[in-house]
């Protein structure tokens, strides 16, 4: 993708690698700043509960803050950078194939500050989508500054997106694989572009580790599972394959419904979702945010079947409603949170049926494998799902159950006719763009007739 007002130039491998390293450092710094900002501002519900308790006043103030943050985030998107809505991953993929622009001057500030507000409002959104988009925007800025040609510009975009993902979860290997597996149709594959992605992810990981530490983000004490338990992971993989297809279809339906509502009453979805989830930060904190805190909490508390079902329903539809508002935010972390709840449900069922399997061993195993499985069925990148789940949890002994669950979930989703969610979102973006262009042309044609 490229480039600049001047002529694009061909560069040596050495110069391209230098630009990839620079992109990795810059994307890592932006990603860490984004993460720390969200962590800091998102403390407001705890301050509110500590100051006012869980009384009506606290709930009302939380609803008001949620609405305020969500509507400001949406205003920034609509007023200054419509491209900054949602996760941004489909836009990066579109830019890599040359069908979507990356107007980095608008995206960088709006995605950064709008994303901080959206993720701090209580909405069930993840930071990985924004950091991928921010990383790609950094790469687009460098591509323009250094006047890269189309192939090198697209390769640097991929490196920037990977660096952004590496910064989000401190998962550089998953970031590299995400580019290779998820963007395989758009990625300009060559040894040079591949090494550029690696270098950017590594440097982003170095920055993230240096500033935020090296511990796995969702560290779990995991133990190898006996081979005779593997059939349970197969059944869970089939279940997660169906859940992933259903989630994808419901997400597109939620976006369409939200667009129709917003066309009649602008900002209505953000107002409704922001107030409800803002209030929930006081009433039921586990139903808020990307879900990382929820994952660790449920692994500690061992909730029963009913609590898991309630949490699953709340998070499933809460993610749909949050993403459909159009504020900046990703779906990686929310998908992992939903998967964890499903995994714990299976862990309880297995330990009830097989008393020789202890719950302390089963819960981390099924949670990690479920993360890989649902990621595989929704994003349709099974290897990325496995590596991401292992890097996040540090549960490398669970490689075999995670691989089995991811593969079965992927095959199940394919058999059910499911399509990758980012592919569907990109197709939707193209369709909306085409509709707007057609409407604009029709208006121009009708203008002379009206004037006469």
């Amino acid at each position: 993708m490229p480039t600049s007002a001047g002529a694009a130039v061909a560069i040596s491998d050495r110069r391209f690698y230098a630009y990839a390293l620079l992109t990795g450092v810059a994307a890592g710094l932006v990603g860490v700043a984004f993460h720390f900002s969200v962590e800091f501002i998102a403390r407001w519900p705890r301050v509110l509960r500590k100051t006012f308790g869980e009384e009506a006043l606290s709930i009302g103030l939380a609803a008001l803050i949620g609405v305020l943050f969500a509507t400001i985030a949406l205003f920034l998107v609509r007023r200054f950078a419509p491209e900054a809505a949602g996760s941004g991953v489909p836009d990066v993929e579109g830019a890599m194939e040359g069908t979507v622009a990356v107007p980095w001057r608008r995206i960088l500030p709006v995605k950064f500050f709008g994303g901080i507000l959206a993720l701090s409002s209580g909405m069930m959104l993840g930071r990985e989508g924004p950091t991928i988009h921010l990383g790609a925007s950094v790469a687009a800025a460098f591509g323009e500054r250094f006047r890269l040609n189309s192939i090198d510009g697209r390769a640097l975009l991929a490196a920037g997106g990977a660096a952004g993902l590496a910064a989000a979860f401190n998962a550089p290997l998953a970031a590299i694989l995400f580019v290779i597996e998820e963007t395989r149709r758009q990625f300009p594959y060559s040894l040079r572009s591949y090494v550029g992605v690696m270098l950017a992810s590594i440097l982003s990981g170095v920055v993230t580790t240096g500033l935020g530490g090296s511990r796995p983000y969702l560290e779990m004490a995991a133990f190898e599972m006996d081979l005779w338990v593997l059939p349970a992971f197969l059944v869970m993989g089939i279940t997660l394959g169906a859940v992933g297809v259903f989630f994808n279809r419901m997400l597109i339906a939620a976006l369409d419904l939200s667009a129709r509502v917003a066309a009649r009453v602008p900002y209505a979805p953000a107002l409704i979702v922001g107030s409800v989830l803002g209030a929930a930060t006081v009433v039921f904190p586990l139903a808020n945010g990307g879900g990382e805190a929820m994952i660790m909490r449920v692994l500690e508390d061992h909730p029963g079947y009913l609590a898991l079902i309630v949490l699953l329903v709340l998070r499933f539809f809460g993610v749909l409603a949050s993403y459909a508002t159009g504020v900046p935010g990703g779906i990686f972390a929310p998908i992992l949170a939903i998967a964890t709840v499903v995994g714990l449900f299976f862990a309880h069922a297995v330990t009830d049926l097989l008393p020789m399997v202890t719950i302390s061993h089963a819960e981390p195993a099924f949670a990690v494998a479920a993360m890989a499985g649902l990621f595989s069925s929704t994003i349709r990148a099974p290897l990325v799902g496995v590596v991401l789940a292992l890097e996040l949890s540090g549960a490398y002994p669970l490689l075999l159950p995670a691989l089995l669950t991811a593969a079965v979930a992927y095959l199940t989703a394919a058999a059910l006719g499911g399509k990758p969610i980012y592919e569907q979102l990109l197709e939707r973006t193209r369709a909306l763009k085409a509709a707007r262009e057609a409407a604009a042309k029709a208006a121009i044609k009708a203008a002379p007739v009206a004037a006469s």
Side-chain angles (χ1 to χ4, degrees):
M1 158 174 168
T3 85
S4 79
V9 296
I11 60 174
S12 65
D13 287 353
R14 183 176 298 178
R15 283 185 65 188
F16 179 78
Y17 296 151
Y19 295 157
L21 290 169
L22 179 62
T23 298
V25 172
L29 290 172
V30 171
V32 169
F34 182 80
H35 170 56
F36 284 171
S37 298
V38 172
E39 289 286 307
F40 178 76
I41 297 177
R43 294 174 183 172
W44 66 264
R46 284 177 292 201
V47 175
L48 206 59
R49 290 194 300 270
K50 185 177 180 180
T51 305
F52 301 104
E54 298 184 5
E55 304 299 328
L57 176 61
S58 183
I59 296 172
L61 288 173
L64 182 61
I65 293 172
V67 165
L68 184 65
F69 282 10
T71 52
I72 293 176
L74 186 57
F75 170 78
L76 291 174
V77 168
R78 290 193 169 188
R79 176 66 178 82
F80 300 106
E83 305 88 350
S87 74
V89 175
D91 297 84
V92 175
E93 293 184 1
M96 287 173 61
E97 68 182 14
T99 59
V100 176
V102 180
W104 61 269
R105 290 177 178 83
R106 299 199 305 266
I107 290 175
L108 276 173
V110 172
K111 199 81 176 189
F112 189 89
F113 294 106
I116 290 171
L117 290 172
L119 270 61
S120 302
S121 70
M123 287 197 180
M124 299 184 200
L125 297 170
R127 63 178 180 272
E128 71 296 321
T131 57
I132 291 172
H133 209 182
L134 288 168
S137 298
V138 168
F142 287 144
E144 180 179 306
R145 171 65 180 82
F146 300 125
R147 305 201 312 273
L148 299 185
N149 61 31
S150 176
I151 297 296
D152 288 337
R154 290 166 56 202
L156 197 64
L157 272 179
L165 178 55
F169 291 133
N170 198 9
L173 180 56
I176 296 167
L177 292 173
F178 179 77
V179 170
I180 304 305
E181 191 172 33
E182 167 60 22
T183 68
R184 59 191 179 277
R185 298 179 186 86
Q186 299 89 9
F187 182 59
Y189 192 88
S190 67
L191 180 60
R192 175 154 117 167
S193 59
Y194 178 62
V195 172
V197 168
M198 290 182 63
L199 292 174
S201 299
I202 292 168
L203 262 293
S204 178
V206 169
V207 170
T208 305
T209 299
L211 296 176
S214 60
R215 291 184 62 181
Y217 196 69
L218 300 174
E219 190 172 17
M220 302 178 194
F223 306 90
E224 291 186 18
M225 297 299 293
D226 293 325
L227 292 179
W228 55 269
V229 185
L230 288 182
F233 291 94
L234 187 150
V235 175
M236 185 171 72
I238 294 172
T239 303
L240 290 168
V243 171
V245 173
F246 180 62
F247 177 86
N248 288 359
R249 291 174 180 170
M250 290 295 291
L251 185 62
I252 298 300
L255 286 166
D256 292 340
L257 175 61
S258 179
R260 290 195 297 271
V261 172
R264 296 186 176 186
V265 186
Y267 293 89
L271 289 168
I272 295 170
V273 178
S275 62
V276 172
L277 294 183
T281 60
V282 173
V283 179
F284 191 36
L286 288 184
N288 292 101
E292 298 94 330
M294 184 223 77
I295 291 173
M296 303 311 295
R297 179 68 180 274
V298 295
L299 285 169
E300 293 174 1
D301 292 350
H302 314 293
Y305 290 114
L306 180 59
L308 289 172
I309 291 173
V310 171
L311 194 55
L312 176 62
V313 171
L314 289 176
R315 291 214 66 94
F316 189 96
F317 291 100
V319 173
L320 299 179
S322 298
Y323 193 84
T325 62
V327 300
I331 56 174
F332 274 26
I335 285 173
L336 299 181
I338 293 171
T340 298
V341 178
V342 176
L344 294 187
F345 194 94
F346 270 85
H348 281 286
V350 168
T351 54
D352 286 344
L353 293 173
L354 305 171
M356 66 285 297
V357 180
T358 62
I359 192 69
S360 61
H361 286 198
E363 283 187 331
F366 281 90
V368 170
M371 291 181 195
L374 190 56
F375 191 97
S376 176
S377 63
T378 53
I379 311 297
R380 302 298 290 281
L383 191 55
V384 178
V386 171
V387 174
L388 180 62
L390 297 182
E391 281 192 294
L392 279 173
S393 64
Y396 295 100
L398 299 174
L399 175 61
L400 188 58
L403 280 171
L404 175 62
T405 306
V408 172
Y410 181 91
L411 293 173
T412 301
L416 294 174
K419 296 173 63 177
I421 186 57
Y422 290 133
E423 180 180 318
Q424 295 183 62
L425 291 171
L426 182 56
E427 289 176 358
R428 186 175 183 277
T429 298
R430 290 177 184 144
L432 292 174
K433 181 181 178 181
R436 286 195 297 268
E437 290 175 352
K441 289 180 181 179
I444 292 173
K445 289 182 180 180
V449 176
S452 62

